[in-house]
Amino acid sequence: MINENRLLRRLQDLSQIGRNEVTGGINRFSFTSEEQQAIELVTSYMKQAGMTITVDGVGNIIGTYGEESETIMLGSHIDTVPEGGKYDGALGVLAAIEVVQTIYEHQLPLSKNIEVAVFKDEEGTRFGFGLIGSRAIAGLLTHEELQKTDTTDISIEEAMKQFQLSPLPLERIKRNDIQAYLEMHIEQGKVLENEELPVGVVTGIAAPLWLEVTVTGVSEHAGATPMPIRQDALAAASEMILAIERILNDTTDSVATVGKLSVEPNGVNVIPGRVTFTIDIRDIDEQKINTLESSIIEQLQKVAERRNVTMTPKVLQRVKPAKTASMLQQQLASSIEKYGVQPYSLISGAGHDAMNIAAVAPIGMLFVRSKDGISHNPLEYSSDEDIVIATNIFYDTVVELVK
Ligand code: GLV
Ligand code: MN
Ligand code: MN
């Protein structure tokens, strides 16, 4: 059995780093002092768990336990969205360390090494481009993508160099030696809560396509420009956003979100001349994402023409949906049964580093019930009881895989 007090205390301690005291939201972005502080705390836990620590060229932190020839990897992330919660990513990392520490304390014999990966920048908050560390491990990250910049024009590559990392050549970071990858994560939806189950086995992960749309009109005087001749970029963008919602309302499982918008010049008495907004489109079926992408762009183009503004879409990130390996699903289900819980399968609407690792290894994911399905929000919550049973189940699965 895992040490539940230690795990829960660590979860609490990690949640204090980057915490906004007013809202309770957590802000930990890549290559910042908050992230660095979190890395130091988490690596201290890895050392207590008997692991040796390496950092690869893009800043993935890898704790290794064992000296065998084969390796299974566990992992998740410690960065957050703006005003995020305390469980998304952090729980997966701390549960993985707890599993290893329990194995270490019991001196269980192993046939495979266990690695715990803390992946660099899963959320994509800083550069509008996420899953950076897991992309690199899967050999999917390109040099061109490293040139993406944050709002202050610092590129991913520059940020890495500021933190003494040497990302190039990227091929050096790719891993081909992982026998299996497992990730424990909060569900971030309401399925398990509705089923009254503490945990579930993930069968597939829906992938995000992120677009950034720039609408350009003409910025003019708010008092002196008659309504019929305006080229208002914000009014056009508003119509576009509602068009996206209408398109998605006609689908069954697909979702799309406009979560970020900037208005220029952003003055009370100035007609907006330029608006940039993002679109996050997701489905478990890649073909459906592609079809939605085309119909959304077509509709936005029509709005732009009618309103005499221009519309330019740009792809920020495109990720492939992934299926989990049936062998790992079965192993997780059999560990769940040992704890007297009915195994239940579900898909993940949220994205995870596991999606990328699927390109180089079989993946498995265990979900933990989320209260009210709320996530990417300071109210994100999973109960201590659910976390403890989930981590024990995760422990059992890992022990079965490495024995
Ligand atoms: C990560 O949480 C994502 O699904 O965007
Ligand atoms: Mn997240
Ligand atoms: Mn996450």
Side-chain angles (χ1 to χ4, degrees):
M1 299 282 268
I2 57 125
N3 182 332
E4 53 185 77
N5 290 334
R6 176 171 62 202
L7 172 64
L8 297 171
R9 192 189 60 238
R10 285 176 175 175
L11 191 56
Q12 182 57 23
D13 289 349
L14 180 54
S15 76
Q16 299 309 301
I17 303 175
R19 184 168 186 273
N20 176 336
E21 291 304 328
V22 178
T23 60
I26 302 172
N27 294 277
R28 258 191 331 254
F29 311 137
S30 56
F31 306 108
T32 60
S33 60
E34 290 81 16
E35 186 203 41
Q36 196 52 36
Q37 231 183 304
I39 289 172
E40 278 160 26
L41 186 64
V42 166
T43 51
S44 76
Y45 298 155
M46 285 176 162
K47 286 180 190 152
Q48 290 165 40
M51 288 183 254
T52 53
I53 291 146
T54 51
V55 181
D56 69 14
V58 296
N60 291 312
I61 312 292
I62 316 261
T64 305
Y65 180 72
E67 292 177 353
E68 308 303 317
S69 54
E70 294 189 333
T71 295
I72 71 159
M73 183 183 267
L74 317 177
S76 204
H77 60 98
I78 54 172
D79 67 310
T80 69
V81 293
E83 294 293 293
K86 81 184 225 196
Y87 305 86
D88 179 358
L91 176 61
V93 167
L94 296 174
I97 296 172
E98 184 56 40
V99 164
V100 175
Q101 193 155 352
T102 307
I103 290 172
Y104 172 56
E105 286 168 351
H106 292 90
Q107 287 292 303
L108 295 188
L110 306 181
S111 69
K112 296 181 178 69
N113 297 327
I114 308 173
E115 290 187 10
V116 176
V118 181
F119 295 110
K120 178 59 73 184
D121 199 333
E122 191 265 0
E123 296 286 8
T125 303
R126 177 162 172 191
F127 300 98
F129 179 75
L131 305 150
I132 296 175
S134 53
R135 279 177 209 269
I137 287 189
L140 301 169
L141 187 65
T142 64
H143 191 200
E144 193 187 346
E145 287 166 342
L146 288 182
Q147 309 317 311
K148 289 175 183 279
T149 51
D150 68 4
T151 51
T152 64
D153 263 354
I154 295 176
S155 71
I156 300 176
E157 187 172 358
E158 281 162 353
M160 287 178 176
K161 289 184 173 159
Q162 282 170 7
F163 276 76
Q164 281 71 51
L165 298 167
S166 312
L168 303 178
L170 283 164
E171 303 83 66
R172 215 182 36 196
I173 301 162
K174 183 177 181 187
R175 297 281 303 270
N176 284 312
D177 59 332
I178 305 165
Q179 311 291 311
Y181 172 79
L182 281 175
E183 180 164 350
M184 184 176 125
H185 202 285
I186 53 166
E187 181 203 335
Q188 310 178 279
K190 290 193 177 96
V191 175
L192 293 173
E193 191 169 67
N194 289 342
E195 296 295 328
E196 298 182 2
L197 290 169
V199 293
V201 178
V202 177
T203 52
I205 310 171
L209 164 65
W210 286 6
L211 303 174
E212 183 182 78
V213 178
T214 302
V215 182
T216 309
V218 180
S219 181
E220 287 181 275
H221 198 290
T225 315
M227 297 309 286
I229 63 160
R230 294 179 177 214
Q231 291 165 271
D232 183 329
L234 182 56
S238 310
E239 210 178 298
M240 291 175 186
I241 294 165
L242 293 176
I244 295 167
E245 194 180 47
R246 261 194 312 275
I247 293 169
L248 268 292
N249 283 344
D250 289 338
T251 69
T252 43
D253 298 325
S254 312
V255 287
T257 306
V258 174
K260 197 172 166 187
L261 180 118
S262 81
V263 180
E264 288 170 48
N266 214 21
V268 178
N269 53 357
V270 189
I271 298 168
R274 205 164 105 111
V275 169
T276 307
F277 63 90
T278 55
I279 316 175
D280 171 316
I281 308 171
R282 304 202 190 203
D283 200 283
I284 197 87
D285 177 343
E286 196 176 12
Q287 187 49 48
K288 284 197 196 159
I289 298 175
N290 295 342
T291 308
L292 275 169
E293 178 185 10
S294 313
S295 45
I296 287 174
I297 289 174
E298 191 186 328
Q299 279 305 313
L300 300 199
Q301 200 60 54
K302 282 189 186 152
V303 174
E305 278 162 26
R306 186 159 33 75
R307 285 186 162 267
N308 202 16
V309 296
T310 62
M311 182 295 283
T312 322
K314 176 172 126 188
V315 173
L316 295 179
Q317 72 169 344
R318 194 185 289 278
V319 186
K320 277 191 184 304
K323 290 195 166 50
T324 59
S326 51
M327 182 276 279
L328 295 173
Q329 288 180 29
Q330 282 158 20
Q331 189 55 64
L332 285 161
S334 105
S335 301
I336 290 172
E337 268 179 331
K338 283 190 204 166
Y339 280 82
V341 178
Q342 174 211 334
Y344 182 86
S345 299
L346 72 170
I347 61 154
S348 174
H352 302 287
D353 291 300
M355 281 183 302
N356 286 330
I357 304 302
V360 286
I363 61 160
M365 283 195 79
L366 179 67
F367 265 180
V368 187
R369 170 165 51 190
S370 290
K371 184 172 186 322
D372 300 328
I374 294 179
S375 182
H376 285 188
N377 183 309
L379 293 176
E380 183 178 277
Y381 177 78
S382 291
S383 73
D384 290 355
E385 297 72 32
D386 286 358
I387 287 171
V388 169
I389 192 169
T391 311
N392 274 313
I393 289 165
F394 199 51
Y395 170 73
D396 188 79
T397 300
V398 174
V399 168
E400 290 297 326
L401 287 173
V402 299
K403 78 178 184 195

